[in-house]
Each structure stands twice: as C-alpha cells, then as structure tokens.
Amino acid sequence: MVSKENCRNEIRAAIRQLSDRCLYSAAKWAGEQLVGIEQDPSNFTPSNTRFQRGSSSIRRRFSTNESISTPQPSVGFSQAATPLPEEDETIDGDLYLLAKSYFDCREYRRASHVLRDQKSKKSVFLRFYALYLAGEKRKEEEMIELEGPLGKSDAINRELVSLERDLSALRSTGAIDSFGLYLYGVVLKEKGNETLAIASLVESVNSYPWNWSAWSELQSLCTSIETLDRLNLNNHWMKDFFLGYAYQELRMHTESLAKYDYLQGIFSFSNYIQAQTAKAQYSLREFDQVEIMFEELLRNDPYRVEDMDLYSNVLYAKEACAALSYLAHKVFLTDKYRPESCCIIGNYYSLKGQHEKAVMYFRRALKLNKKYLSAWTLMGHEYVEMKNTPAAIDAYRRAVDINPSDYRAWYGLGQAYEMMGMPFYALHYFRKSIFFLPNDSRLWIAMAKCYQTEQLYMLEEAIKCYKRAVNCTDTEGIALNQLAKLHQKLGRNEEAAFYFEKDLERMDAEGLEGPNMFEALVFLATHFKNHKKFEEAEVYCTRLLDYSGPEKEKAKSLLRGIRMAQTGFPSMDLEHFPI
C-alpha cells in the first residue's frame, strides 16, 4: 500500500532532482501534484481553505457519477512500493554549478562547453540536454529567418545527429541514467525512429517514474490503443497519471475519467486532475459541467493561464460574451504573450464578429509557438467565416501536419472543400474526421449533407449517415428531420411518418416550435387522413389550429377533407370551429 505520506516524500525528492537537472516543467508538474495531496487537518489555516474535504467540484462530480466503476481508495494505492529516488552519490562540483547557472540564463552552448570533460551521469545529462536546447534555439531562429507561407520552414535541429551518436554509445556501455534515456528518446523521436524512442522512454520511466516530461513524450508516440497496450510499464501511481492522459488523447474519455477518479484517492485537490477531467467533459460536450469546473479552477488558481483557452471555447460555444470578455481581460493582464492568452483573446473577437482581429491574435499565438494546434484550427475557422477558403485549407493542413489524428482539422478541411463546391474532396475529409471521432453526430450530419449535394445525390448513403447521427445522440434534431424528408422524397411515407413522429416527440419534450413542427404536423395529418386513420389525423389538425396565418388555414382545409372522407358528404363550415 502506497500511502499519502510516501507519495509526498517521493514527490519532494523528485522535485529536487528534476530541478537540479533543469527539468523545470516536470518539476513544476510534480509540485502541483504535491500540493494536490489532501493535507493534514491540523495544518489548516484560513488561507488554505481550498484543502478542506469536499470543497472541490471534481470530488462532488465523482461522488455522483455511477457510470465510472473503478474503485476509489481511501488512503492510498494498492501497488508495490517504489523506493524513493536517491540523491546522487557525488556532491555537485563547481563546474556543474556554473553550467547550471549558464543554463538558467539560456546560454546553452556555454553550459555544454563547461561540462565537456565531466564524466558523472548528472553532468553528462546536463551537457547533452544543453546542447539539444541550443540546437532547438537555433532552429527557432532559422524558422523566423527562413519563414515561408503560413510559417512553413525546413529548419531542423542540427545537433540531433551528434546527440544520437553519443547517447547511443553511452547506452551501449551502460553509462547512461534514466534522464539520459529520456533525452535519447526525445532525440530518436525527433529523428523519426519511433520504435527505438518508445523503448528508450519506457526504460527511462521504469527506472525513474517521477519524470512527467518522459511520460508526456511517451504518450505522444502512443497514437493507437494497440501501441499503448504493448508498453511494458512497471506498476506505479505515475503510470495511472500517464494512462489517464493517454486515454484522453486517444478519445477514450470514460476510461480516462475512471483513472482520474482512482487518483482522487490521494490527489484529492490536484488542479491538474481537475483540468484534465474538464477536458474530458468538454470532449463529451458537457459544457455546463465544464464551465463550473473551470470557474472553480480559477478561484483556486486565479493567475492560471494553462488550459484556459479550452474554457474560452466553452464560453464561445455558449455565447457568453461577458464572461469571455472578463477571461480575456484577465489573461491579458496576467501574461499576454502566452499562446493560450492569444487564443482566448482571438475567441473573444471572433464571438464579436471581428474576424480580422481574431486572425491577428491567432497568428500571434503561432508566433509564440508554431506547433500550437488550437491556434491553427481556430484560425482556419476564422478564414472559413471570412470566405477565404484557400487560407483556411492551408491552416487546417498545418494542424493536420502537427497532429494527424485531430478530427477538428479534418472536419474543417471537409467544410472548406464543400464551400468550394468540391463534394468528393469534402467527403474524403469528413470520412477522415469520422475515423478519429466516430461518435460525434455533427460529423455524420456533415457527411450526409455532402451526399445530398447535386454532384453526388446519393440519398441512400445520406440516410445511413443520418441514422448514425441519431444513434450518436443528435441533440439538435437535424438528423431526424432530414431522415423524414428524405424518406418522403423517396416515396416511403411510412418511414417518413415514423421519423416525423420521433422528431415531433423531441420538439415537444424540449418545448420547441417552428417550421419543422408545422411541417411534421401537416405531413402526419395528411398521412393518417390518407390511411383513413381519422382520429390520429384530427389530433394533428387540432394542433395546427393553434397556429395563425397559413398554418391555421391549412388545418381547416385538412379537417374539411377529413369530414368529407368520414361522411361522404361536404363538411360543415369550419369558420366557427371551436379554437
């Protein structure tokens, strides 16, 4: 049993080691999990009331969600105990301290040069890590200098070849530690050798599981559940964090939520877990719950910028202009030169219909991070709104280059080609988006509409797509209405009546009215009248009488026809029909 106190001790030691090796991102992540462990009640003060039991909305959510069956431990994890990370046997030398100072000042080549003759594993890692970052820094400079259309560049990290050679030699002699294996995995991944990269990263996390950066790199290589299942990982609570993250990226949201539910047993107040849970809920389109979770996240961590762009997407979808304006102002004052901040501000201008300004901020986000996927996708959406389809296609293609499994970019490409009147191309991209997200009704509806175009006019295929959309819980009711119309067009009145009735039930349940309801009532009244089911026909006609204008006149005309069909004589004048 791994207790909370054991986890604290492990993480504290890991933070020191990670920081000492300049792996600050991993150290920050570990620090956030450290304070996410439920505190001893005797240590409560008025300033840390967020650690009181039950104050987190994520705890409330899991306590009422019966669909997640993974048991939640109360005081620890039933896993084999892992030895605490040991400190290096040698005291840091003066040269290492100097090199670390250079590294912290972003003088990477100086840091690497200082350690050129040092033989300890710690010094060797920092030397190669500094050299890798020096190559990355130069690559970014070349990307700016040689930038092509939409930021395209052929710049590469020129240090990768020498790094791969040296790290491979160290590994073959066993003179490399878990941090060196992590760096070796990163280098192999950059060079496209994914199989060896996975093997190196797995070896790294098995020997030192507290380096979240290594887990993140490993996740990026797990592009399928088959690859994930093949990993031979040791049993450790960090593995559960990894699996929760990997499941989410593979769009296995129920499994991801179950993992985070399990981790709540110790990390009851982890902001990271709450943010990841909100992401999963966002993918499940539970926007109200996501909004509540992000509001609490900002109350606990008011200067947080990470993940807030996702919150802005929720506010955008809900058209909450005032809340989005407040969020944009807040992140602007906190850190305006973060890609997330630029995307939030871009979303705000997009909601206000100022698409040129929105594009300007999405471009600014990409200046800060060329691989920021959301910015490429959102910029593509803006170009679609501006009817600039060539630019939209370029933006979506850049998003696909960064993440080939991003369904939003494939869907955007489909929309762009559909706007250009090229349904065959559009159909191809809609199919790609559905491959990566088969349970989204919007994608099936988009493909169905593509089949309905004049160039294709494949109505039977469109019907199949709309049926899939209904099975995927089409909340907008588009699929039911279209299924009824298509069957009506094909002369299948029984099927059309079935779907019109279903659509009418949905509209009644949601309290909706409009042209679709009038259309359904008219068809059903006429259909049942023609089949001599006069009582059912009168029910629908009576509902039509509640309308004014042509709808009411249509109802009267239908009722006259029903009276004539019932009696065989002309019906009574309906001018005085009780309404």
Side-chain angles (χ1 to χ4, degrees), residues 496-509:
F498 172 79
Y499 286 111
F500 271 127
E501 284 185 308
K502 287 285 186 183
D503 197 29
L504 197 59
E505 289 173 9
R506 179 193 65 83
M507 289 185 282
D508 287 340

Side-chain angles (χ1 to χ4, degrees), residues 62-75:
F62 285 127
S63 66
T64 58
N65 192 337
E66 297 178 359
S67 65
I68 298 175
S69 58
T70 305
Q72 179 173 325
S74 58
V75 294

Side-chain angles (χ1 to χ4, degrees), residues 22 99 103 106-116 123-139 156-167 183 187:
C22 302
F103 187 101
R106 293 174 56 86
E107 297 184 57
Y108 302 125
R109 292 197 182 277
R110 292 184 77 185
S112 180
H113 178 74
V114 164
L115 297 172
R116 65 192 182 279
S123 296
V124 167
F125 167 75
L126 188 59
R127 172 160 61 92
F128 287 134
Y129 187 42
L131 195 60
Y132 170 77
L133 289 182
E136 288 294 297
K137 184 179 179 182
R138 181 56 192 151
K139 183 178 78 171
I156 60 171
N157 185 337
R158 301 185 187 279
E159 305 296 336
L160 293 179
V161 175
S162 63
L163 283 170
E164 182 185 16
R165 182 184 63 246
D166 294 341
L167 288 168
L183 182 58
V187 170

Side-chain angles (χ1 to χ4, degrees), residues 264-293:
Q264 282 290 298
I266 285 185
F267 301 94
S268 306
F269 302 102
S270 167
N271 285 342
Y272 169 81
I273 292 179
Q274 184 154 350
Q276 291 300 107
T277 304
K279 286 181 182 180
Q281 297 285 9
Y282 174 81
S283 298
L284 296 171
R285 302 188 65 76
E286 297 179 9
F287 291 155
D288 291 337
Q289 180 67 23
V290 174
E291 185 177 10
I292 292 169
M293 297 182 75

Side-chain angles (χ1 to χ4, degrees), residues 406-471:
D406 180 30
Y407 79 92
R408 296 170 301 175
W410 291 114
Y411 175 67
L413 282 167
Q415 281 187 310
Y417 279 106
E418 191 175 33
M419 287 174 60
M420 295 172 69
M422 303 170 71
F424 288 98
Y425 284 92
L427 194 60
H428 168 73
Y429 292 118
F430 286 140
R431 281 174 176 160
K432 292 284 285 187
S433 67
I434 286 172
F435 175 78
F436 292 112
L437 194 69
N439 296 321
D440 194 314
S441 61
R442 298 167 300 170
L443 307 184
W444 287 106
I445 289 169
M447 192 157 75
K449 289 180 177 177
C450 204
Y451 278 123
Q452 287 178 266
T453 56
E454 290 183 6
Q455 295 99 314
L456 297 178
Y457 206 69
M458 300 167 67
L459 300 188
E460 293 295 344
E461 295 299 319
I463 286 173
K464 291 178 184 176
C465 292
Y466 282 127
K467 285 182 177 178
R468 290 295 299 268
V470 170
N471 293 335

Side-chain angles (χ1 to χ4, degrees), residues 237-460:
W237 53 264
M238 282 292 290
K239 177 184 174 182
D240 293 305
F241 274 105
F242 164 73
L243 290 175
Y245 182 34
Y247 286 147
Q248 184 165 292
E249 293 301 310
L250 292 171
R251 295 166 298 282
M252 299 168 62
H253 303 298
T254 302
E255 292 83 352
S256 177
L257 289 171
K259 280 295 176 187
Y260 290 128
D261 183 23
Y262 176 71
L263 287 164
Q264 282 290 298
I266 285 185
F267 301 94
S268 306
F269 302 102
S270 167
N271 285 342
Y272 169 81
I273 292 179
Q274 184 154 350
Q276 291 300 107
T277 304
K279 286 181 182 180
Q281 297 285 9
Y282 174 81
S283 298
L284 296 171
R285 302 188 65 76
E286 297 179 9
F287 291 155
D288 291 337
Q289 180 67 23
V290 174
E291 185 177 10
I292 292 169
M293 297 182 75
F294 273 119
E295 285 174 356
E296 180 168 344
L297 201 57
L298 277 177
R299 281 196 299 271
N300 294 334
D301 191 0
Y303 299 103
R304 183 186 183 95
V305 177
E306 187 179 2
D307 303 317
M308 287 300 112
D309 54 331
L310 189 69
Y311 181 32
S312 75
N313 291 344
V314 173
L315 297 176
Y316 181 94
K318 298 183 73 173
E319 298 185 0
C321 191
L324 185 53
S325 173
Y326 174 78
L327 179 63
H329 184 71
K330 187 180 183 66
V331 297
F332 182 85
L333 294 178
T334 301
D335 190 350
K336 65 179 181 180
Y337 292 118
R338 283 275 295 271
E340 296 94 333
S341 301
C342 295
C343 282
I344 291 167
I345 298 168
N347 269 341
Y348 168 70
Y349 281 118
S350 177
L351 186 58
K352 293 193 71 176
Q354 300 181 29
H355 302 298
E356 292 82 2
K357 275 193 173 182
V359 167
M360 181 182 74
Y361 275 97
F362 294 139
R363 282 190 172 278
R364 184 175 293 179
L366 292 167
K367 288 284 185 184
L368 297 165
N369 183 356
K370 295 288 184 186
K371 293 186 177 182
Y372 198 65
L373 182 65
S374 294
W376 286 114
T377 307
L378 292 171
M379 190 162 69
H381 295 345
E382 293 308 303
Y383 281 130
V384 167
E385 291 293 330
M386 296 163 66
K387 304 294 188 280
N388 187 350
T389 46
I393 288 170
D394 282 338
Y396 288 134
R397 287 197 183 280
R398 286 302 302 272
V400 167
D401 289 342
I402 295 167
N403 183 3
S405 61
D406 180 30
Y407 79 92
R408 296 170 301 175
W410 291 114
Y411 175 67
L413 282 167
Q415 281 187 310
Y417 279 106
E418 191 175 33
M419 287 174 60
M420 295 172 69
M422 303 170 71
F424 288 98
Y425 284 92
L427 194 60
H428 168 73
Y429 292 118
F430 286 140
R431 281 174 176 160
K432 292 284 285 187
S433 67
I434 286 172
F435 175 78
F436 292 112
L437 194 69
N439 296 321
D440 194 314
S441 61
R442 298 167 300 170
L443 307 184
W444 287 106
I445 289 169
M447 192 157 75
K449 289 180 177 177
C450 204
Y451 278 123
Q452 287 178 266
T453 56
E454 290 183 6
Q455 295 99 314
L456 297 178
Y457 206 69
M458 300 167 67
L459 300 188
E460 293 295 344

